[in-house]
Amino acid sequence: YIRGFDTAVQAGGNVGVWPKRLAERFNTVYTFEPEGHNFYCLAHNCPEPAILKFQAALGCERKLVSAVYESGVENMGAIYVQPGGSIPVIRIDDLGLESCDFIQLDVEGYELEALKGAILTISCFRPVLMVEEKHFLWPGRYPWGDGAIQEFLKPFGYKAEERIHRDLIFVQEG
């Protein structure tokens, strides 16, 4: 689905698996990981200068959050954000990108907030979007449910083209 391979934005960088793989194809990869231990590993595992690493969360509102481990889950990637803390929230639109071909989000239920912070980027560049959707695992954590991402993207002309496990791939129609 991706036509250009200049810039990718990836969130939920974890220990670097996604950013490293994306850097094999894209000229520049912006990756975001809010949790400190994971970010340390990501920085160590991804020394490539084409991978720009941020210990931050993506969202639509500039604020500070904390990274919280999913209770009862033995998965270093099962970390979500909640208000308060010292981790900055960055909007994709604030990056001032000159191009954007792909946005991949795996941020444990905060994907809609990250997309809301990318309205200008999405409108300008029409990137392919790959978004994890597994809200059903934590109903009530955030005030939106399954289908909210699809509804949010409709006015931009996006439709879900394919589902791969819990990830939806969105492309702009036409």
Side-chain angles (χ1 to χ4, degrees):
Y1 302 108
I2 301 169
R3 293 184 181 97
F5 291 90
D6 188 41
T7 304
V9 175
Q10 189 280 325
N14 194 255
V15 298
V17 175
W18 270 107
K20 195 152 192 85
R21 184 66 187 252
L22 291 171
E24 293 173 4
R25 297 289 307 269
F26 289 88
N27 295 330
T28 306
V29 176
Y30 291 79
T31 187
F32 298 82
E33 173 54 52
E35 200 281 324
H37 294 100
N38 284 344
F39 183 78
Y40 174 84
C41 294
L42 182 150
H44 177 77
N45 293 333
C46 298
E48 297 87 345
I51 302 174
L52 305 175
K53 301 161 278 295
F54 298 84
Q55 186 178 354
L58 289 180
C60 66
E61 187 179 328
R62 294 179 197 103
K63 61 184 177 182
L64 297 175
V65 295
S66 57
V68 180
Y69 285 94
E70 191 71 43
S71 64
V73 176
E74 294 181 16
N75 177 348
M76 289 299 291
I79 296 165
Y80 63 96
V81 298
Q82 67 182 19
S86 59
I87 301 164
V89 174
I90 296 174
R91 299 180 329 168
I92 292 172
D93 288 342
D94 291 340
L95 297 174
L97 300 176
E98 293 182 15
S99 67
C100 185
D101 304 295
F102 183 55
I103 296 175
Q104 187 271 332
L105 302 172
D106 180 352
V107 291
E108 304 307 307
Y110 215 62
E111 289 81 3
L112 181 58
E113 290 297 293
L115 290 170
K116 287 179 180 179
I119 290 173
L120 297 174
T121 302
I122 290 169
S123 297
C124 183
F125 301 115
R126 301 184 311 253
V128 170
L129 307 171
M130 183 173 171
V131 181
E132 183 180 49
E133 183 185 64
K134 62 178 185 182
H135 182 270
F136 59 88
L137 292 177
W138 45 72
R141 178 185 297 165
Y142 301 118
W144 50 85
D146 288 341
I149 292 170
Q150 290 90 324
E151 288 302 313
F152 174 76
L153 291 172
K154 274 184 188 176
F156 299 98
Y158 278 86
K159 71 170 191 158
E161 191 68 36
E162 186 174 348
R163 177 181 287 277
I164 302 172
H165 304 287
R166 294 180 178 152
D167 295 316
L168 289 172
I169 298 173
F170 292 91
V171 297
Q172 198 171 53
E173 298 180 279

